[in-house]
C-alpha cells in the first residue's frame, strides 16, 4: 500500500513532464528570444510547428536537440544576433528565412540537408556557411545582398527556382542540380563570379548577368528562355543544347546582349528556338555560327560588328529577319530565302551599316512585331524573367539589364 502511494504521485510527475515536453515540441509557432528559450527544445526530436527567432535575440543562438522542424524557421531584424546554428537539425519542412541580420557572421547547421525554401536577404556580415552535411534538397533558393564569397554547403539535386543576386563578394557558385523546373536568375553579384552547372540537363528559364564564366556542358533543353546580359565571359559554350523554347507556341527566346568581352558562341547542336534569336552589342563578337539551327519561331535579330553569319541548316523563320553589321556581310543567300512561303516569313533586312548599335526597332517594325500572316505569335520574346518584343533596341536591352 505504501509503495502504491509512492508510485501514483511519481507517475503523475512523469505524466506532467511528458505533457509539458509535448507542449513545447508541438506549438504552432514558438518564439525564441534568448539562448535559454532555445535550450527548452533540447528534449524535442521533432518540432511540430514553426520557430521564430525574434528581433530581440542577440549574441549566440544554438538550437540543439531537434532533428526536424516541420514548419518554418524564421529570423528577421535581430540586429544584435551574431551567430545562429544547430548541431542536430537535419530538415526544415517550410521556409528557412533570414532577413536583415546586420551582425550575423556565423551560420552553422552541421546536419542540415533538406529545406523546402531558402530565403536569405540582407546579411551584410555573413561571409561563409558552415553546412558540412550539405543542403541537397530545396524547391526554392533565394540568396540576395549578403557578404558571402562562396555558397559551399548548398549543392542541390533538383530545384524549382534559383535566384542569386547582389552578393558582391561571391566568386564561385557550383551546383550538381540536374533539373531546374521554374527559373534561374543570377544577377549583379561579384564581377568575377564563376558559375558552374556541370550536371544540368533541363531548365525552364535561365537568365545570367554580370557573370565572368558559365559552365553548362550537359545542358540539352531550355523549355523557356535563355538569356545572357552584360556578362564578362569571353566564351559561351553549350555543346549539347538542342532546343530553347517551344516552336509550337512561339515562346522562349535566346539572347546575347551587351556582353562586352564575348568572342565566341558555341552551340553546335542547337536546332530550334521557340521565340526570338537575338544577338546585340557584343563588341568583341566577330563571328556568328549556328550550324544546326533549323527553326526559329520568332525573329532572328543580329546586330554588331561580325562577318556573314553562318546558318546553313535554316528551314523556317516564322518571324522577321534583321541582320545588320558594321563589317561587310554577304546577304545573297539570305535574300534568296526571304518572302512569303519561303524560309524567312516575316520582314527581311540584311545589310552592312555604319551604325549597328540599334536593333532596328525604327526600321524593322514589321519584323519586330512579328507582322507575318504566318505567325504573329513569333513577335513575343521572353528573356528569362522579362518579356519584350523581338526587335527591341539595344538601349532597351541595356535598360533591362540594369533593372
Amino acid at each position: 500500500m505504501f509503495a502504491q502511494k509512492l508510485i501514483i504521485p511519481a507517475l503523475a510527475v512523469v505524466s506532467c513532464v511528458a505533457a509539458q515536453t509535448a507542449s513545447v515540441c508541438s506549438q504552432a509557432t514558438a518564439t525564441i528570444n534568448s539562448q535559454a528559450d532555445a535550450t527548452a527544445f533540447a528534449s524535442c526530436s521533432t518540432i511540430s510547428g514553426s520557430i521564430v527567432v525574434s528581433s530581440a535575440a542577440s549574441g549566440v543562438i544554438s538550437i540543439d536537440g531537434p532533428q526536424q522542424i516541420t514548419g518554418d524557421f524564421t529570423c528577421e531584424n535581430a540586429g544584435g544576433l551574431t551567430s545562429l546554428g544547430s548541431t542536430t537539425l537535419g530538415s526544415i519542412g517550410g521556409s528557412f528565412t533570414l532577413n536583415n541580420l546586420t551582425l550575423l557572421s556565423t551560420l552553422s547547421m552541421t546536419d542540415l540537408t533538406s529545406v523546402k525554401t531558402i530565403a536569405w536577404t540582407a546579411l551584410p556580415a555573413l561571409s561563409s556557411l558552415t553546412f558540412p552535411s550539405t543542403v541537397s534538397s530545396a524547391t526554392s533558393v533565394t540568396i540576395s545582398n549578403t557578404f558571402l564569397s562562396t555558397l559551399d554547403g548548398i549543392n542541390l539535386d533538383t530545384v524549382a527556382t534559383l535566384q542569386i543576386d547582389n552578393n558582391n563578394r561571391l566568386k564561385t557558385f557550383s551546383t550538381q542540380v540536374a533539373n531546374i523546373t521554374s527559373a534561374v536568375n543570377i544577377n549583379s553579384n561579384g564581377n568575377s563570379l564563376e558559375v558552374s552547372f556541370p550536371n544540368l540537363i533541363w531548365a525552364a528559364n535561365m537568365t545570367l548577368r554580370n557573370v565572368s564564366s558559365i559552365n553548362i556542358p550537359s545542358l540539352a533543353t531550355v523549355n523557356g528562355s535563355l538569356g545572357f546580359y552584360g556578362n564578362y565571359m569571353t566564351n559561351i559554350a553549350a555543346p549539347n543544347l538542342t532546343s530553347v523554347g517551344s516552336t509550337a507556341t512561339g515562346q522562349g527566346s535566346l539572347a546575347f546582349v551587351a556582353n562586352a568581352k564575348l568572342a565566341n558562341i558555341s552551340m553546335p547542336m542547337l536546332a530550334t528556338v521557340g521565340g526570338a534569336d537575338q544577338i546585340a552589342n557584343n563588341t568583341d563578337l566577330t563571328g556568328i555560327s549556328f550550324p544546326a539551327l533549323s527553326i526559329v519561331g520568332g525573329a532572328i535579330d543580329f546586330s554588331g560588328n561580325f562577318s556573314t553569319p553562318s546558318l546553313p541548316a535554316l528551314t523556317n523563320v516564322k518571324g522577321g529577319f534583321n541582320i545588320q553589321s558594321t563589317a561587310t556581310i554577304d546577304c545573297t543567300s539570305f535574300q534568296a530565302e526571304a518572302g512569303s512561303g519561303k524560309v524567312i516569313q516575316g520582314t527581311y533586312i540584311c545589310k552592312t551599316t555604319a551604325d549597328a548599335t540599334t536593333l532596328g526597332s525604327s526600321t524593322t517594325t514589321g519584323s519586330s512585331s512579328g507582322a507575318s500572316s504566318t505567325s504573329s505569335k513569333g513577335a513575343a520574346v521572353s528573356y528569362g524573367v522579362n518579356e519584350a518584343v523581338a526587335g527591341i533596341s539595344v538601349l532597351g536591352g541595356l535598360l533591362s539589364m540594369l533593372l
Side-chain angles (χ1 to χ4, degrees):
M1 185 70 175
F2 178 73
Q4 186 179 12
K5 288 181 179 180
L6 291 176
I7 291 170
I8 291 173
L11 290 174
V13 170
V14 171
S15 177
C16 181
V17 170
Q20 289 176 343
T21 299
S23 176
V24 167
C25 301
S26 60
Q27 303 173 66
T29 301
T31 300
I32 294 175
N33 296 301
S34 65
Q35 181 56 45
D37 293 337
T39 303
F41 297 101
S43 60
C44 303
S45 61
T46 297
I47 297 176
S48 300
S50 296
I51 292 287
V52 173
V53 179
S54 79
S55 59
S58 62
V60 177
I61 298 291
S62 186
I63 305 171
D64 301 320
Q67 298 169 25
Q68 178 183 13
I69 298 174
T70 63
D72 301 330
F73 183 14
T74 303
C75 183
E76 297 183 288
N77 304 313
L81 187 67
T82 59
S83 176
L84 180 64
S86 172
T87 59
T88 58
L89 188 61
S91 68
I92 299 171
S95 176
F96 185 9
T97 300
L98 304 175
N99 178 45
N100 193 29
L101 306 176
T102 54
L103 295 182
L104 183 70
S105 58
T106 301
L107 182 60
S108 177
M109 298 280 180
T110 54
D111 284 356
L112 190 64
T113 60
S114 175
V115 179
K116 182 177 182 181
T117 301
I118 289 175
W120 299 343
T121 55
L123 308 174
L126 186 64
S127 60
S128 63
L129 305 173
T130 306
F131 285 9
S133 295
T134 306
V135 175
S136 59
S137 175
T139 58
S140 175
V141 174
T142 298
I143 300 175
S144 178
N145 192 20
T146 74
F147 198 58
L148 290 167
S149 59
T150 176
L151 296 181
D152 288 351
I154 299 176
N155 194 1
L156 306 171
D157 294 324
T158 62
V159 69
T161 302
L162 181 62
Q163 170 126 358
I164 311 294
D165 66 280
N166 294 291
N167 304 286
N168 291 331
R169 292 185 71 249
L170 194 62
K171 303 297 183 185
T172 63
F173 176 64
S174 179
T175 177
Q176 66 184 1
V177 65
N179 295 284
I180 299 172
T181 59
S182 182
V184 176
N185 185 9
I186 298 179
N187 176 30
S188 301
N189 297 288
N191 290 349
S192 57
L193 175 60
E194 298 178 353
V195 176
S196 182
F197 294 93
N199 300 323
L200 183 63
I201 297 170
W202 188 95
N205 294 281
M206 295 185 70
T207 302
L208 290 95
R209 305 173 191 263
N210 312 115
V211 170
S212 66
S213 70
I214 177 67
N215 181 38
I216 43 175
S218 304
L219 184 63
T221 303
V222 176
N223 199 48
S225 293
L226 176 60
F228 301 87
Y229 304 91
N231 295 291
Y232 308 106
M233 71 274 284
T234 59
N235 177 62
I236 296 174
N240 289 297
L241 183 64
T242 60
S243 66
V244 174
S246 169
T247 55
T249 63
Q251 299 297 312
S253 297
L254 177 64
F256 306 86
V257 176
N259 304 287
K261 297 182 179 181
L262 183 61
N264 182 57
I265 299 170
S266 177
M267 296 182 174
M269 296 179 65
L270 181 65
T272 62
V273 175
D277 186 0
Q278 181 189 28
I279 297 176
N281 199 31
N282 305 287
T283 51
D284 282 357
L285 187 65
T286 58
I288 297 173
S289 177
F290 293 104
L293 185 62
S294 176
I295 300 173
V296 177
I300 286 180
D301 214 336
F302 297 164
S303 173
N305 180 34
F306 46 79
S307 57
T308 305
S310 176
L311 303 166
L314 205 61
T315 60
N316 191 354
V317 180
K318 297 181 180 181
F321 186 90
N322 175 37
I323 292 182
Q324 299 186 46
S325 176
T326 54
T328 301
I329 57 176
D330 182 359
C331 297
T332 306
S333 62
F334 302 133
Q335 177 68 56
E337 296 171 343
S340 178
K342 297 183 179 181
V343 171
I344 299 167
Q345 300 178 32
T347 300
Y348 167 84
I349 289 180
C350 179
K351 64 181 180 180
T352 298
T353 178
D355 182 10
T357 58
T358 65
L359 280 178
S361 58
S362 62
T363 59
T364 60
T365 304
S367 172
S368 300
S369 60
S372 163
S373 61
T374 305
S375 178
S376 61
K377 66 188 175 186
V381 182
S382 173
Y383 301 135
V385 295
N386 300 316
E387 295 293 331
V389 293
I392 193 166
S393 68
V394 170
L395 177 59
L398 291 172
L399 289 174
S400 172
M401 179 184 70
L402 295 172
L403 289 177

